[in-house]
Amino acid sequence: MRIALSAGHNVYIGSNFDCGAVGNGKREADITKATVKNLISLLEAQGHKVKDVTPYNQRFSHKKSHHLKRCREADSFGADLYLDVHINAGGGTGVETWIYSNGSSSKKHAEKICNNVSKHIGIRNRGMKVNPNYWSLKHCKAPAIIIEGCFIDNANDIKKLTPKKYAEAIAVSFGEIKESKPKSQPNTNKLYRVQTGAFSVRKNADDLLKKLKAKGYDAIVVKQGNLYKVQTGAFDKKENANKLVMQLKKDGFEAIVI
Ligand SMILES: [Zn+2]
């Protein structure tokens, strides 16, 4: 799917920053921005095409103008779905989603998102609702959904809802959550990997992979930076990696331990 994302608020109206609702020491705009950032990588990992249409920190004369701009961006992206991410306020509890009409194709997604946020975060499900007057829903050709994740002025809600969890709960409505690779973890359980080649062209890596498999090696291609690395094994013990390197060399492959 092509999904346009909007982090609610995060613009200036005149000279005032629109931080959305506030409560319990938090600002809605910070939460929606962090949630959208998380959502982009989660949805892209699922194979969706994603665009963040938020005009961060841009100045508008009227509240309606930035909504119109987001909607235009979503439509020129050719979005199948426009998700406008918000946090509620006003003394309630739980999650709710809004759509333009019951006939909208966004309905099934809006219901799913509501259920998943409620389940994943452990807060009340207020359900999917309809309002044809909200700007995000009205001015977008793409089927749109406003998501109000929880109530910022409810201490229990806002303790449970982190941007990471919020993003996961939304993303799980569109596919599987893929675990993101841990970033430069300390080398406590270093693996010794056997590499038989590194290529800038994917096809070359795939060709080598085929040759290895034909010889009975269990190999994979790992993308690292701009390189496609062909890896035939990963070991806790360096001596086991070395043994495999010897074996590979006997079979005519270049191999190193990395
Ligand atoms: Zn809002």
Side-chain angles (χ1 to χ4, degrees), residues 7-236:
H9 312 279
N10 282 295
V11 293
Y12 281 85
I13 306 298
S15 54
N16 298 318
F17 182 69
D18 176 6
C19 65
V22 290
N24 290 299
K26 300 195 191 256
R27 308 192 304 177
E28 182 185 359
D30 300 324
I31 300 171
T32 62
K33 188 177 178 181
T35 302
V36 163
K37 197 168 170 251
N38 277 287
L39 251 181
I40 293 170
S41 47
L42 290 170
L43 292 172
E44 281 180 345
Q46 293 170 341
H48 298 291
K49 293 268 174 284
V50 183
K51 180 165 189 186
D52 183 355
V53 299
T54 316
Y56 293 103
N57 300 320
Q58 287 179 33
R59 214 168 276 268
F60 296 86
S61 54
H62 186 271
K63 269 192 172 186
K64 190 175 177 181
S65 329
H66 71 87
H67 282 99
L68 292 179
K69 178 155 196 201
R70 293 171 202 237
C71 290
R72 268 202 311 274
E73 288 280 325
D75 284 335
S76 65
F77 173 60
D80 301 311
L81 197 61
Y82 172 47
L83 300 181
D84 194 10
V85 178
H86 287 261
I87 298 289
N88 225 333
T93 176
V95 54
E96 63 194 30
T97 53
W98 292 87
I99 59 169
Y100 179 73
S101 87
N102 265 311
S104 171
S105 60
S106 60
K107 183 177 176 174
K108 58 177 189 293
H109 300 295
E111 284 172 336
K112 234 185 193 181
I113 290 169
C114 225
N115 293 339
N116 286 333
V117 172
S118 170
K119 235 193 300 175
H120 196 77
I121 296 180
I123 52 175
R124 191 181 144 200
N125 187 349
R126 303 166 66 88
M128 185 217 70
K129 302 169 182 188
V130 173
N131 189 331
N133 296 315
Y134 284 146
W135 291 323
S136 309
L137 308 175
K138 190 176 180 178
H139 296 288
C140 201
K141 287 193 193 80
I145 304 173
I146 298 173
I147 312 168
E148 300 276 4
C150 75
F151 281 71
I152 203 164
D153 49 357
N154 180 303
N156 186 46
D157 271 29
I158 204 65
K159 201 171 93 189
K160 286 183 178 171
L161 182 143
T162 63
K164 186 173 177 281
K165 274 192 166 178
Y166 191 15
E168 283 171 354
I170 297 170
V172 81
S173 317
F174 298 96
E176 220 178 289
I177 297 287
K178 305 228 165 77
E179 278 303 317
S180 52
K181 279 180 242 128
K183 281 173 225 147
S184 57
Q185 290 259 322
N187 253 349
T188 44
N189 30 25
K190 168 163 171 65
L191 283 178
Y192 297 95
R193 297 166 203 279
V194 176
Q195 185 181 300
T196 43
F199 307 91
S200 55
V201 179
R202 170 93 206 200
K203 190 182 172 303
N204 295 339
D206 286 337
D207 287 347
L208 177 58
L209 190 74
K210 268 183 222 151
K211 281 181 201 157
L212 285 161
K213 289 200 166 166
K215 289 265 183 189
Y217 289 102
D218 191 11
I220 53 166
V221 176
V222 182
K223 185 155 196 266
Q224 243 172 41
N226 293 322
L227 287 177
Y228 297 96
K229 298 182 172 177
V230 181
Q231 206 178 286
T232 37
F235 303 89
D236 290 327

Side-chain angles (χ1 to χ4, degrees), residues 221-252:
V221 176
V222 182
K223 185 155 196 266
Q224 243 172 41
N226 293 322
L227 287 177
Y228 297 96
K229 298 182 172 177
V230 181
Q231 206 178 286
T232 37
F235 303 89
D236 290 327
K237 288 193 181 133
K238 193 166 185 184
E239 57 184 79
N240 292 333
N242 285 336
K243 267 186 211 161
L244 181 61
V245 168
M246 300 283 280
Q247 179 75 45
L248 281 158
K249 286 190 171 166
K250 257 189 222 165
D251 279 336

